Amino acid sequence: MRNKVLGLLAFALVFSLVSFVAISNTEEVAETYEDASYFTINAKGDLVRPTDYRSWVYVGSPLTPNDLNDGKAAFPEFHNVYIDPVSYKHYKKTGKWREGTILVKELVSVGTKAASSGNGYFMGEFIGLEATIKSKKHFKDAPANWAYFSFTNPKGGTLAETGTAFKTEQCAFCHQASAADDFVFTQHYPVLRAAKKVGANVVPENKAKR
């Protein structure tokens, strides 16, 4: 009986070691950033609406309100921007955006302009969703392989299940001319500025220096 118990314990130990190696190998593969994907392109070449993005890395909420743009702001709503965690880690390690990067913009209207803390711009309601991905596999002819999508219903209500890539002149040219890092406006996101090439396993928000 004792030998049987010892045998079972030995088996459990070996199984645990194998499992640990398997997990380690999986993490090692993820470190190469080649297999991790957070988006799906369907047979028509459209992007399936991303899910679970609020559990990704939140990088900021830029706002260009109508009040500061003669009532004609191109993007008068808040843009809550999220990036998939593997691409964020890759950016920390290399300072570059990997093949397969996806950023999601959740559009939120400007709500009230007054709060107990004072006057300002405060979020209202969710009104739309957009995304951009870098994929040479799917968009080899797009500038730097970036493609841009919207799932927003212009009449409001339910988001579309899929999005068709915008034409190049609708988004890419502006990003190409003004974005700081490979078509991404990192200059407007202190989270990304702090993360650039800081090291894959470094956590910049834990540093004391500001």
Side-chain angles (χ1 to χ4, degrees), residues 23-120:
I23 292 172
S24 299
N25 287 340
T26 299
E27 292 175 349
E28 184 178 344
V29 170
E31 286 285 348
T32 68
Y33 312 107
E34 296 174 354
D35 298 322
S37 179
Y38 289 81
F39 66 84
T40 299
I41 301 293
N42 66 18
K44 295 174 60 178
D46 293 336
L47 177 64
V48 177
R49 178 162 51 86
T51 57
D52 302 328
Y53 56 84
R54 288 182 192 161
S55 64
W56 299 356
V57 179
Y58 167 73
V59 299
S61 298
L63 171 68
T64 53
N66 280 322
D67 296 16
L68 300 178
N69 294 277
D70 299 322
K72 300 178 181 179
F75 308 102
E77 64 282 313
F78 288 94
H79 290 175
N80 294 342
V81 180
Y82 303 84
I83 180 172
D84 76 85
V86 172
S87 295
Y88 177 71
K89 190 171 185 179
H90 182 265
Y91 187 72
K92 288 200 301 177
K93 181 178 181 179
T94 67
K96 298 180 180 180
W97 298 112
R98 72 178 183 110
E99 165 74 7
T101 295
I102 176 169
L103 296 98
V104 169
K105 294 194 301 184
E106 192 168 44
L107 311 185
V108 184
S109 67
V110 174
T112 180
K113 297 178 183 178
S116 58
S117 57
N119 297 324

Side-chain angles (χ1 to χ4, degrees), residues 142-143 146-149 164-175:
W146 286 99
Y148 304 84
F149 306 84
T164 301
F166 284 113
K167 294 180 180 179
T168 299
E169 60 270 18
Q170 290 177 279
C171 296
F173 291 157
C174 179
H175 283 253

Side-chain angles (χ1 to χ4, degrees), residues 138-191:
H138 298 288
F139 303 101
K140 61 183 180 65
D141 296 324
N145 309 126
W146 286 99
Y148 304 84
F149 306 84
S150 177
F151 305 91
T152 306
N153 182 344
K155 296 182 180 179
T158 305
L159 296 172
E161 293 297 322
T162 60
T164 301
F166 284 113
K167 294 180 180 179
T168 299
E169 60 270 18
Q170 290 177 279
C171 296
F173 291 157
C174 179
H175 283 253
Q176 185 175 27
S178 303
D181 284 305
D182 185 17
F183 287 68
V184 179
F185 290 96
T186 53
Q187 67 266 39
H188 302 311
Y189 298 91
V191 169

Side-chain angles (χ1 to χ4, degrees), residues 7-28:
L8 290 172
L9 288 174
F11 175 81
L13 178 61
V14 171
F15 180 81
S16 297
L17 289 172
V18 170
S19 299
F20 175 79
V21 171
I23 292 172
S24 299
N25 287 340
T26 299
E27 292 175 349
E28 184 178 344

